[in-house]
Amino acid sequence: QDCRKLSEDVQNAILAVATVYYWLPKGQGTTLRKMVRDATTEVVEGMIQLTDTILSAPVESLSQEQLISTGGVWEACEQVSNLPRGEYNQAAVASALTACLGVVKDAVEEMEHALVEGQDPYGDIMEDEELGFRGNRDTYWSEADRQLLSSCMGLMKASKACLKKVLGAVKAYGKADSPEQIAQLDDLADIANEISPSVDELALSMYPPVNPLAVRLNVNTQEGFLMNFLHFCRTSHVCPPSEEGWVQFLNGAVDHNMNKIKNFTQGQL
């Protein structure tokens, strides 16, 4: 009887959690809605897993799997308390931009470390009879590669700067008082979510043996996302006239690195 009552209470609580999510107006912003949906899903899936482990265990036993699943439910519930407060969609977009910036920072730092003069980017991989010795020239960058990759690094750093500056603008000027403002914030989050994986793709294409065509294609994709990002920022409410200077500067930085990359990859397209 105690278990039946507990099970009913759990079921009602889960249904209540799902209902609260569905009550969230879509007009509050797609970025906020996705974060709330993900948090809700974590709680529900955690309870499903815990219930499965209880059902599969002998009666009146406590297994390691049950303890782990219980911890998973607690962790999922604690994540709910981290959901945005106040200007909901503004805070949600700021959180999304922060996550993207973290990914790009990691990629930039990894490539900077790998590009240290004379360093073998595969130095952390043990020698293997099938892979060959570390002297294989395909595991090193040529001087021409390094000149190309220097400009690619410039573009990656411009990506980091764009995300950092737009994040600052969203925190300082972002509003969610009207449908237009909410939609503008969502647009910025959507483009930022494209920038971070494209930086990762560019970084992967920079490892030896370098294929200039692959690098050029990834660079073109990166340029498109960055220009879109800066354009949306400049035409949105988060960019008052006082902020237009850094937008123009970053536009110029992207163009500068793109022109250098185009010179290095002439004839690849």
Side-chain angles (χ1 to χ4, degrees):
Q1 288 178 346
D2 289 342
C3 286
R4 183 186 298 275
K5 178 64 167 62
L6 180 60
S7 298
E8 289 175 353
D9 288 345
V10 168
Q11 178 174 297
N12 290 335
I14 290 296
L15 291 174
V17 167
T19 300
V20 169
Y21 163 68
Y22 284 114
W23 276 346
L24 178 63
K26 294 181 179 179
Q28 288 297 315
T30 58
T31 308
L32 173 66
R33 190 172 175 83
K34 182 181 183 302
M35 287 187 175
V36 176
R37 182 189 67 204
D38 290 346
T40 305
T41 301
E42 289 290 326
V43 173
V44 175
E45 288 181 344
M47 277 308 307
I48 291 173
Q49 184 179 18
L50 176 57
T51 305
D52 283 339
T53 60
I54 292 172
L55 289 172
S56 62
V59 178
E60 296 183 358
S61 71
L62 183 62
S63 66
Q64 184 68 18
E65 288 76 14
Q66 288 173 333
L67 291 173
I68 293 173
S69 296
T70 302
V73 174
W74 278 111
E75 185 177 352
C77 291
E78 288 171 359
Q79 290 302 314
V80 175
S81 64
N82 296 326
L83 288 171
R85 299 285 192 272
E87 291 278 357
Y88 299 114
N89 205 50
Q90 184 261 2
V93 169
S95 176
L97 292 175
T98 299
C100 293
L101 178 58
V103 172
V104 172
K105 277 184 175 179
D106 288 345
V108 170
E109 289 173 4
E110 182 178 331
M111 287 308 303
E112 283 180 332
H113 180 70
L115 280 166
V116 171
E117 189 65 35
Q119 181 176 329
D120 175 4
Y122 297 114
D124 58 342
I125 301 175
M126 296 294 289
E127 284 189 12
D128 186 278
E129 291 182 0
E130 294 182 5
L131 294 176
F133 293 103
R134 306 295 339 131
N136 185 337
R137 64 184 181 84
D138 284 346
T139 66
Y140 293 88
W141 284 296
S142 67
E143 186 56 36
D145 290 338
R146 287 184 175 276
Q147 290 179 351
L148 169 61
L149 300 189
S150 175
S151 297
C152 291
M153 281 299 301
L155 192 64
M156 290 175 67
K157 289 179 179 178
S159 301
K160 183 177 76 170
C162 287
L163 286 166
K164 186 176 181 179
K165 295 297 290 186
V166 173
L167 172 60
V170 167
K171 287 181 175 179
Y173 305 106
K175 300 290 183 184
D177 299 330
S178 69
E180 182 181 13
Q181 290 174 338
I182 290 171
Q184 288 173 349
L185 290 172
D186 283 332
D187 284 339
L188 289 172
D190 288 343
I191 300 173
N193 285 329
E194 300 283 1
I195 290 175
S196 51
S198 70
V199 168
D200 274 342
E201 286 295 319
L202 174 57
L204 286 174
S205 69
M206 291 164 63
Y207 278 92
V210 175
N211 181 337
L213 176 58
V215 171
R216 176 66 181 273
L217 292 174
N218 282 317
V219 160
N220 286 350
T221 300
Q222 186 69 23
E223 178 196 26
F225 287 139
L226 290 178
M227 289 306 192
N228 249 349
F229 195 49
L230 292 172
H231 170 74
F232 271 102
C233 180
R234 184 172 57 246
T235 57
S236 74
H237 70 281
V238 305
C239 186
S242 61
E243 299 294 300
E244 290 181 358
W246 63 260
V247 176
Q248 294 176 356
F249 174 81
L250 288 175
N251 261 310
V254 173
D255 283 337
H256 173 72
N257 285 292
M258 278 303 301
N259 289 333
K260 292 173 69 175
I261 293 169
K262 288 174 182 177
N263 289 334
F264 285 126
T265 56
Q266 283 181 352
Q268 294 298 324
L269 296 179

